[in-house]
Amino acid sequence: MAAGIDPRPGEFGQGEPLAAQGPSAEGRAPRRPVPARSTFSPRRAPEPLMFSDTQFFRRTVFVSGMTIATALVLALIWNASEVFLVLFASILLAVLVRAPINGIVRHLRLTPNMALGLSVLALVSVLGTLVYIFAVPMAEQVGQLMSQLPRAMARLRQSLREYQWARPLLLEMSHAQLDLRTLVQARGLISSTASALIGLLIVFFIGVYLAAQPRLYQRGFMNLLPKHMRPRTAEVLDEIGSVLRWWLLGRLIVMLLVGFAAGIGLWWLDIPLAATLGVLSGMLEFIPYLGPILSAISPLLIAFNVGPTQAFYVLMLYVAIQTAEGYLISPLIEQRTVSLPPALVIFATVLLAALAGPLGAVLASPLTAAGIVAVRLLYVEDVVEQVEKLNAGGEAGRAGRPG
């Protein structure tokens, strides 16, 4: 076999010519066959991620600092909730003042600053006219209302004593007596309007300054954020401003219609203090769902003081007004403005009323509208939908990969 084929199998199990094996195969050790490569190679387990002491210390300090900062922010919001609500009320006023500016600039060919001044002047003129027309008469009627409420309550108790089923109700009413001392306290509460006036002045001036230069404060807020978050933050703030503007427009229309209908209806039924009760009904419509219930209490008590029949007519009047508002007026307006889930609005109203008092109840609905926009844009679109797109892309890639 000097010049033949080597009978030993080669690397691939085939015989090889001796010339291909080198000059001489006799003087060297036989070559060990190379094992065939396996088509399956098990994946090595990932090594555990190890941190040095410095990295661990930095991460611990960062997490602790973020936890402390979050706790401090929550404590600040809890203890200064009224301050933040006043700030939000100022933002609402700024949105209301800036709402007609684009139309004024487009139709009257004025500069934005002149349009802003005209909008503020119109708002002050409307408020001043309402105060001039209703201030003195309403002040007198409010005094009459507060003097008639105890008599109306006493008449109601006297009428309920005739019925057996009303005795438990009378027992509960006796625990919460509406006597002269309570009336004096209520008058003192109403007459002490200095703090309310100061709060309204603060809201007015902050709102006017915000309306004059909204982009200045928006840029100052966005400078606190990383650069990659600023464009999305600007989109969210613009969307919140648009939603609040349309919500305010819808509420003002509903307040005007309900207040006018209530005042005319009470005047037609010959109920005392009809103008004051109508204005009160319109103002309480700013609080959706709960405001209409509160607005019907005082007219019912005053009407019951006149007579049970008049009280029944007033009850039917308010049921008709709220039915028309809930099934006709609000749906037509919300088609053009903003619609909010009723259960969520009621929950937010009760929660903020418990946390921040009457101011929280008044601002609960616009806060809910702003919160819905923020959650939809920052969480649903930027987090949930992005994860779904990534999962769908991964499944499509695995489906298109050959098996």
Side-chain angles (χ1 to χ4, degrees), residues 23-41:
S24 175
E26 296 179 356
R28 54 189 175 89
R31 186 171 56 181
R32 181 178 298 177
V34 178
R37 295 182 180 179
S38 174
T39 58
F40 173 77
S41 57

Side-chain angles (χ1 to χ4, degrees), residues 203-216:
V203 169
F204 177 78
F205 284 110
I206 294 178
V208 170
Y209 282 122
L210 289 176
Q213 294 179 311
R215 295 299 177 186
L216 172 65

